[in-house]
Short mmCIF file of all heavy atoms in Angstrom, two decimals:
data_model
loop_
_atom_site.label_atom_id
_atom_site.label_comp_id
_atom_site.label_asym_id
_atom_site.label_seq_id
_atom_site.Cartn_x
_atom_site.Cartn_y
_atom_site.Cartn_z
N GLY E 1448 -10.12 -42.88 4.94
CA GLY E 1448 -9.80 -44.15 4.29
C GLY E 1448 -10.39 -45.33 5.05
O GLY E 1448 -10.92 -46.28 4.44
N VAL E 1449 -10.31 -45.27 6.38
CA VAL E 1449 -10.90 -46.33 7.22
C VAL E 1449 -12.41 -46.38 6.99
O VAL E 1449 -13.01 -47.46 6.80
CB VAL E 1449 -10.57 -46.07 8.71
CG1 VAL E 1449 -11.42 -46.95 9.62
CG2 VAL E 1449 -9.09 -46.32 8.98
N ALA E 1450 -13.04 -45.19 6.98
CA ALA E 1450 -14.50 -45.13 6.77
C ALA E 1450 -14.87 -45.67 5.39
O ALA E 1450 -15.84 -46.43 5.24
CB ALA E 1450 -14.96 -43.67 6.92
N ALA E 1451 -14.06 -45.31 4.37
CA ALA E 1451 -14.33 -45.80 3.01
C ALA E 1451 -14.18 -47.31 2.97
O ALA E 1451 -14.99 -48.02 2.34
CB ALA E 1451 -13.36 -45.14 2.03
N GLY E 1452 -13.16 -47.83 3.66
CA GLY E 1452 -12.95 -49.27 3.72
C GLY E 1452 -14.14 -49.98 4.34
O GLY E 1452 -14.61 -51.01 3.83
N MET E 1453 -14.63 -49.42 5.45
CA MET E 1453 -15.79 -50.04 6.13
C MET E 1453 -17.02 -50.00 5.23
O MET E 1453 -17.80 -50.95 5.17
CB MET E 1453 -16.08 -49.28 7.42
CG MET E 1453 -15.07 -49.56 8.53
SD MET E 1453 -15.44 -48.55 9.96
CE MET E 1453 -14.35 -49.29 11.16
N LEU E 1454 -17.18 -48.87 4.53
CA LEU E 1454 -18.34 -48.70 3.66
C LEU E 1454 -18.31 -49.67 2.49
O LEU E 1454 -19.32 -50.25 2.10
CB LEU E 1454 -18.34 -47.25 3.15
CG LEU E 1454 -19.66 -46.65 2.69
CD1 LEU E 1454 -20.67 -46.60 3.83
CD2 LEU E 1454 -19.44 -45.24 2.14
N LEU E 1455 -17.09 -49.88 1.94
CA LEU E 1455 -16.97 -50.72 0.74
C LEU E 1455 -16.69 -52.18 1.10
O LEU E 1455 -16.58 -53.03 0.22
CB LEU E 1455 -15.83 -50.20 -0.15
CG LEU E 1455 -16.01 -48.77 -0.69
CD1 LEU E 1455 -14.74 -48.28 -1.37
CD2 LEU E 1455 -17.19 -48.71 -1.66
N GLY E 1456 -16.47 -52.44 2.38
CA GLY E 1456 -16.24 -53.82 2.81
C GLY E 1456 -14.83 -54.31 2.53
O GLY E 1456 -14.60 -55.51 2.39
N ILE E 1457 -13.87 -53.38 2.38
CA ILE E 1457 -12.46 -53.82 2.24
C ILE E 1457 -11.73 -53.56 3.55
O ILE E 1457 -12.20 -52.80 4.40
CB ILE E 1457 -11.74 -53.13 1.06
CG1 ILE E 1457 -11.75 -51.60 1.22
CG2 ILE E 1457 -12.30 -53.56 -0.28
CD1 ILE E 1457 -10.83 -50.89 0.26
N TYR E 1458 -10.55 -54.19 3.70
CA TYR E 1458 -9.75 -54.04 4.92
C TYR E 1458 -9.47 -52.55 5.14
O TYR E 1458 -8.82 -51.90 4.30
CB TYR E 1458 -8.47 -54.84 4.72
CG TYR E 1458 -7.49 -54.83 5.87
CD1 TYR E 1458 -7.90 -55.04 7.19
CD2 TYR E 1458 -6.13 -54.64 5.62
CE1 TYR E 1458 -6.98 -55.04 8.22
CE2 TYR E 1458 -5.20 -54.64 6.66
CZ TYR E 1458 -5.65 -54.82 7.96
OH TYR E 1458 -4.74 -54.83 8.97
N PRO E 1459 -9.94 -51.96 6.27
CA PRO E 1459 -9.86 -50.51 6.45
C PRO E 1459 -8.44 -49.93 6.37
O PRO E 1459 -8.27 -48.81 5.89
CB PRO E 1459 -10.45 -50.30 7.85
CG PRO E 1459 -11.34 -51.46 8.08
CD PRO E 1459 -10.69 -52.61 7.37
N VAL E 1460 -7.44 -50.71 6.83
CA VAL E 1460 -6.06 -50.19 6.77
C VAL E 1460 -5.63 -49.96 5.32
O VAL E 1460 -4.93 -48.99 5.00
CB VAL E 1460 -5.08 -51.14 7.51
CG1 VAL E 1460 -3.63 -50.69 7.32
CG2 VAL E 1460 -5.40 -51.17 9.00
N TYR E 1461 -6.08 -50.85 4.40
CA TYR E 1461 -5.75 -50.65 2.98
C TYR E 1461 -6.43 -49.38 2.47
O TYR E 1461 -5.85 -48.61 1.71
CB TYR E 1461 -6.18 -51.86 2.13
CG TYR E 1461 -5.37 -53.12 2.40
CD1 TYR E 1461 -5.90 -54.38 2.13
CD2 TYR E 1461 -4.07 -53.04 2.90
CE1 TYR E 1461 -5.17 -55.53 2.38
CE2 TYR E 1461 -3.34 -54.19 3.15
CZ TYR E 1461 -3.89 -55.43 2.89
OH TYR E 1461 -3.16 -56.57 3.14
N GLY E 1462 -7.68 -49.18 2.88
CA GLY E 1462 -8.41 -47.96 2.49
C GLY E 1462 -7.65 -46.73 2.95
O GLY E 1462 -7.46 -45.77 2.20
N ALA E 1463 -7.18 -46.79 4.23
CA ALA E 1463 -6.44 -45.65 4.78
C ALA E 1463 -5.15 -45.44 4.01
O ALA E 1463 -4.80 -44.30 3.67
CB ALA E 1463 -6.14 -45.93 6.26
N LEU E 1464 -4.45 -46.53 3.70
CA LEU E 1464 -3.15 -46.42 3.02
C LEU E 1464 -3.33 -45.80 1.63
O LEU E 1464 -2.60 -44.86 1.25
CB LEU E 1464 -2.50 -47.80 2.91
CG LEU E 1464 -1.12 -47.86 2.28
CD1 LEU E 1464 -0.13 -47.02 3.08
CD2 LEU E 1464 -0.61 -49.29 2.18
N ILE E 1465 -4.31 -46.29 0.88
CA ILE E 1465 -4.52 -45.79 -0.48
C ILE E 1465 -4.84 -44.29 -0.46
O ILE E 1465 -4.25 -43.49 -1.19
CB ILE E 1465 -5.65 -46.58 -1.19
CG1 ILE E 1465 -5.19 -48.02 -1.44
CG2 ILE E 1465 -6.08 -45.91 -2.49
CD1 ILE E 1465 -6.30 -48.98 -1.80
N LEU E 1466 -5.76 -43.91 0.42
CA LEU E 1466 -6.17 -42.50 0.49
C LEU E 1466 -5.01 -41.62 0.97
O LEU E 1466 -4.84 -40.49 0.50
CB LEU E 1466 -7.38 -42.36 1.41
CG LEU E 1466 -8.45 -41.36 0.95
CD1 LEU E 1466 -8.92 -41.67 -0.46
CD2 LEU E 1466 -9.64 -41.36 1.90
N MET E 1467 -4.20 -42.13 1.91
CA MET E 1467 -3.07 -41.33 2.40
C MET E 1467 -1.99 -41.18 1.34
O MET E 1467 -1.36 -40.12 1.24
CB MET E 1467 -2.48 -41.97 3.66
CG MET E 1467 -3.26 -41.63 4.91
SD MET E 1467 -2.34 -42.06 6.38
CE MET E 1467 -2.34 -43.83 6.30
N LEU E 1468 -1.74 -42.23 0.55
CA LEU E 1468 -0.74 -42.11 -0.52
C LEU E 1468 -1.18 -41.04 -1.51
O LEU E 1468 -0.38 -40.21 -1.96
CB LEU E 1468 -0.54 -43.46 -1.23
CG LEU E 1468 0.14 -44.56 -0.40
CD1 LEU E 1468 0.16 -45.88 -1.17
CD2 LEU E 1468 1.56 -44.17 -0.02
N LEU E 1469 -2.49 -41.04 -1.80
CA LEU E 1469 -3.06 -40.03 -2.70
C LEU E 1469 -2.91 -38.63 -2.08
O LEU E 1469 -2.46 -37.68 -2.74
CB LEU E 1469 -4.54 -40.34 -2.93
CG LEU E 1469 -5.24 -39.64 -4.09
CD1 LEU E 1469 -4.62 -40.05 -5.41
CD2 LEU E 1469 -6.72 -39.98 -4.08
N ALA E 1470 -3.23 -38.53 -0.80
CA ALA E 1470 -3.12 -37.24 -0.10
C ALA E 1470 -1.67 -36.77 -0.05
O ALA E 1470 -1.39 -35.58 -0.18
CB ALA E 1470 -3.69 -37.35 1.31
N GLY E 1471 -0.74 -37.73 0.10
CA GLY E 1471 0.69 -37.39 0.12
C GLY E 1471 1.11 -36.75 -1.19
O GLY E 1471 1.83 -35.74 -1.21
N LEU E 1472 0.63 -37.33 -2.30
CA LEU E 1472 0.95 -36.76 -3.62
C LEU E 1472 0.39 -35.35 -3.74
O LEU E 1472 1.04 -34.44 -4.27
CB LEU E 1472 0.38 -37.66 -4.74
CG LEU E 1472 0.95 -39.06 -4.86
CD1 LEU E 1472 0.18 -39.87 -5.89
CD2 LEU E 1472 2.43 -39.00 -5.24
N ILE E 1473 -0.85 -35.17 -3.23
CA ILE E 1473 -1.48 -33.85 -3.31
C ILE E 1473 -0.70 -32.83 -2.46
O ILE E 1473 -0.46 -31.70 -2.90
CB ILE E 1473 -2.97 -33.93 -2.86
CG1 ILE E 1473 -3.76 -34.77 -3.86
CG2 ILE E 1473 -3.58 -32.54 -2.73
CD1 ILE E 1473 -5.15 -35.15 -3.41
N ILE E 1474 -0.29 -33.24 -1.25
CA ILE E 1474 0.47 -32.32 -0.39
C ILE E 1474 1.75 -31.88 -1.09
O ILE E 1474 2.10 -30.70 -1.12
CB ILE E 1474 0.82 -32.99 0.97
CG1 ILE E 1474 -0.42 -33.12 1.84
CG2 ILE E 1474 1.90 -32.19 1.71
CD1 ILE E 1474 -0.20 -33.78 3.18
N GLU E 1475 2.46 -32.83 -1.69
CA GLU E 1475 3.73 -32.50 -2.34
C GLU E 1475 3.50 -31.54 -3.50
O GLU E 1475 4.27 -30.61 -3.71
CB GLU E 1475 4.40 -33.80 -2.81
CG GLU E 1475 5.89 -33.72 -3.03
CD GLU E 1475 6.68 -33.02 -1.95
OE1 GLU E 1475 6.31 -33.09 -0.77
OE2 GLU E 1475 7.69 -32.38 -2.30
N ARG E 1476 2.40 -31.76 -4.23
CA ARG E 1476 2.07 -30.86 -5.35
C ARG E 1476 1.72 -29.47 -4.83
O ARG E 1476 2.20 -28.46 -5.35
CB ARG E 1476 0.89 -31.47 -6.14
CG ARG E 1476 0.46 -30.68 -7.35
CD ARG E 1476 1.57 -30.71 -8.39
NE ARG E 1476 1.45 -29.56 -9.28
CZ ARG E 1476 0.86 -29.59 -10.45
NH1 ARG E 1476 0.35 -30.72 -10.89
NH2 ARG E 1476 0.78 -28.52 -11.21
N LEU E 1477 0.88 -29.43 -3.78
CA LEU E 1477 0.49 -28.13 -3.22
C LEU E 1477 1.67 -27.40 -2.59
O LEU E 1477 1.75 -26.18 -2.63
CB LEU E 1477 -0.62 -28.32 -2.16
CG LEU E 1477 -2.02 -28.62 -2.68
CD1 LEU E 1477 -2.96 -28.91 -1.51
CD2 LEU E 1477 -2.57 -27.45 -3.49
N ARG E 1478 2.60 -28.18 -2.02
CA ARG E 1478 3.78 -27.56 -1.40
C ARG E 1478 4.61 -26.82 -2.45
O ARG E 1478 5.20 -25.79 -2.19
CB ARG E 1478 4.65 -28.64 -0.75
CG ARG E 1478 4.69 -28.53 0.76
CD ARG E 1478 5.24 -29.74 1.44
NE ARG E 1478 6.41 -30.35 0.84
CZ ARG E 1478 7.66 -29.96 1.08
NH1 ARG E 1478 7.90 -28.95 1.88
NH2 ARG E 1478 8.67 -30.59 0.53
N ASN E 1479 4.64 -27.37 -3.67
CA ASN E 1479 5.35 -26.70 -4.75
C ASN E 1479 4.57 -25.49 -5.26
O ASN E 1479 5.15 -24.49 -5.65
CB ASN E 1479 5.62 -27.67 -5.90
CG ASN E 1479 6.63 -28.73 -5.49
OD1 ASN E 1479 7.52 -28.45 -4.70
ND2 ASN E 1479 6.48 -29.94 -5.98
N THR E 1480 3.22 -25.60 -5.23
CA THR E 1480 2.39 -24.48 -5.70
C THR E 1480 2.50 -23.32 -4.72
O THR E 1480 2.62 -22.16 -5.13
CB THR E 1480 0.91 -24.92 -5.82
OG1 THR E 1480 0.88 -26.11 -6.61
CG2 THR E 1480 0.07 -23.84 -6.49
N TYR E 1481 2.42 -23.62 -3.41
CA TYR E 1481 2.50 -22.57 -2.37
C TYR E 1481 3.85 -22.67 -1.66
O TYR E 1481 3.91 -23.02 -0.49
CB TYR E 1481 1.38 -22.74 -1.34
CG TYR E 1481 -0.01 -22.58 -1.90
CD1 TYR E 1481 -0.78 -23.69 -2.19
CD2 TYR E 1481 -0.55 -21.32 -2.12
CE1 TYR E 1481 -2.06 -23.56 -2.71
CE2 TYR E 1481 -1.83 -21.18 -2.64
CZ TYR E 1481 -2.57 -22.30 -2.93
OH TYR E 1481 -3.83 -22.16 -3.44
N GLN E 1482 4.93 -22.36 -2.40
CA GLN E 1482 6.26 -22.57 -1.83
C GLN E 1482 6.52 -21.73 -0.57
O GLN E 1482 7.22 -22.17 0.34
CB GLN E 1482 7.33 -22.28 -2.88
CG GLN E 1482 7.45 -23.42 -3.86
CD GLN E 1482 8.56 -23.25 -4.85
OE1 GLN E 1482 9.27 -22.27 -4.85
NE2 GLN E 1482 8.69 -24.21 -5.74
N GLN E 1483 5.94 -20.53 -0.54
CA GLN E 1483 6.18 -19.65 0.61
C GLN E 1483 5.29 -20.04 1.80
O GLN E 1483 5.49 -19.59 2.91
CB GLN E 1483 5.91 -18.19 0.24
CG GLN E 1483 6.75 -17.69 -0.92
CD GLN E 1483 8.24 -17.74 -0.62
OE1 GLN E 1483 8.66 -17.42 0.47
NE2 GLN E 1483 9.03 -18.20 -1.59
N TYR E 1484 4.24 -20.82 1.54
CA TYR E 1484 3.29 -21.20 2.60
C TYR E 1484 3.11 -22.71 2.58
O TYR E 1484 2.01 -23.20 2.36
CB TYR E 1484 1.94 -20.51 2.39
CG TYR E 1484 2.01 -19.02 2.24
CD1 TYR E 1484 1.97 -18.43 0.99
CD2 TYR E 1484 2.12 -18.19 3.36
CE1 TYR E 1484 2.05 -17.05 0.85
CE2 TYR E 1484 2.20 -16.83 3.23
CZ TYR E 1484 2.17 -16.26 1.97
OH TYR E 1484 2.25 -14.90 1.84
N ALA E 1485 4.20 -23.43 2.81
CA ALA E 1485 4.15 -24.89 2.70
C ALA E 1485 3.12 -25.49 3.65
O ALA E 1485 2.49 -26.50 3.35
CB ALA E 1485 5.52 -25.47 2.98
N GLU E 1486 2.91 -24.84 4.83
CA GLU E 1486 1.98 -25.39 5.81
C GLU E 1486 0.54 -25.30 5.33
O GLU E 1486 -0.34 -26.02 5.81
CB GLU E 1486 2.15 -24.72 7.18
CG GLU E 1486 1.62 -23.30 7.30
CD GLU E 1486 2.59 -22.26 6.73
OE1 GLU E 1486 3.59 -22.65 6.12
OE2 GLU E 1486 2.31 -21.06 6.89
N LEU E 1487 0.30 -24.43 4.33
CA LEU E 1487 -1.05 -24.29 3.78
C LEU E 1487 -1.49 -25.61 3.14
O LEU E 1487 -2.64 -26.03 3.28
CB LEU E 1487 -1.06 -23.16 2.74
CG LEU E 1487 -2.41 -22.63 2.30
CD1 LEU E 1487 -3.13 -22.01 3.48
CD2 LEU E 1487 -2.23 -21.60 1.19
N ALA E 1488 -0.57 -26.27 2.47
CA ALA E 1488 -0.87 -27.55 1.83
C ALA E 1488 -1.35 -28.55 2.87
O ALA E 1488 -2.31 -29.30 2.64
CB ALA E 1488 0.38 -28.08 1.13
N ILE E 1489 -0.70 -28.53 4.03
CA ILE E 1489 -1.04 -29.47 5.10
C ILE E 1489 -2.44 -29.15 5.64
O ILE E 1489 -3.26 -30.04 5.83
CB ILE E 1489 0.03 -29.40 6.21
CG1 ILE E 1489 1.35 -29.93 5.64
CG2 ILE E 1489 -0.39 -30.18 7.44
CD1 ILE E 1489 2.55 -29.71 6.52
N ALA E 1490 -2.72 -27.86 5.84
CA ALA E 1490 -4.03 -27.45 6.36
C ALA E 1490 -5.15 -27.83 5.39
O ALA E 1490 -6.21 -28.33 5.81
CB ALA E 1490 -4.04 -25.94 6.62
N VAL E 1491 -4.90 -27.64 4.11
CA VAL E 1491 -5.92 -27.96 3.09
C VAL E 1491 -6.23 -29.46 3.11
O VAL E 1491 -7.39 -29.88 3.13
CB VAL E 1491 -5.44 -27.52 1.67
CG1 VAL E 1491 -6.33 -28.11 0.59
CG2 VAL E 1491 -5.40 -26.01 1.57
N VAL E 1492 -5.18 -30.27 3.15
CA VAL E 1492 -5.38 -31.73 3.12
C VAL E 1492 -6.02 -32.22 4.42
O VAL E 1492 -6.91 -33.09 4.39
CB VAL E 1492 -4.04 -32.44 2.83
CG1 VAL E 1492 -4.14 -33.94 3.06
CG2 VAL E 1492 -3.61 -32.17 1.40
N LEU E 1493 -5.61 -31.65 5.55
CA LEU E 1493 -6.19 -32.04 6.84
C LEU E 1493 -7.71 -31.79 6.84
O LEU E 1493 -8.51 -32.67 7.17
CB LEU E 1493 -5.51 -31.26 7.97
CG LEU E 1493 -5.83 -31.67 9.40
CD1 LEU E 1493 -4.61 -31.43 10.29
CD2 LEU E 1493 -7.01 -30.93 10.02
N SER E 1494 -8.10 -30.59 6.42
CA SER E 1494 -9.53 -30.26 6.41
C SER E 1494 -10.29 -31.14 5.42
O SER E 1494 -11.38 -31.63 5.74
CB SER E 1494 -9.73 -28.79 6.00
OG SER E 1494 -8.78 -27.98 6.59
N SER E 1495 -9.70 -31.33 4.24
CA SER E 1495 -10.38 -32.16 3.24
C SER E 1495 -10.56 -33.58 3.75
O SER E 1495 -11.64 -34.18 3.59
CB SER E 1495 -9.57 -32.21 1.94
OG SER E 1495 -9.15 -30.94 1.58
N GLY E 1496 -9.52 -34.13 4.38
CA GLY E 1496 -9.57 -35.49 4.89
C GLY E 1496 -10.64 -35.64 5.96
O GLY E 1496 -11.44 -36.60 5.94
N MET E 1497 -10.69 -34.68 6.86
CA MET E 1497 -11.65 -34.76 7.96
C MET E 1497 -13.08 -34.64 7.44
O MET E 1497 -13.98 -35.36 7.88
CB MET E 1497 -11.34 -33.66 8.98
CG MET E 1497 -11.89 -33.92 10.36
SD MET E 1497 -11.24 -35.48 11.02
CE MET E 1497 -12.51 -35.88 12.19
#
Side-chain angles (χ1 to χ4, degrees):
Chain E
V1449 167
M1453 287 177 170
L1454 203 62
L1455 299 171
I1457 58 168
Y1458 180 47
V1460 173
Y1461 292 156
L1464 183 60
I1465 292 165
L1466 220 54
M1467 279 193 291
L1468 291 175
L1469 195 64
L1472 295 174
I1473 294 169
I1474 288 179
E1475 202 45 32
R1476 182 67 204 264
L1477 284 174
R1478 247 166 42 85
N1479 291 327
T1480 308
Y1481 297 100
Q1482 283 185 0
Q1483 302 299 319
Y1484 306 99
E1486 73 279 8
L1487 195 63
I1489 294 170
V1491 168
V1492 169
L1493 189 148
S1494 319
S1495 314
M1497 201 58 204

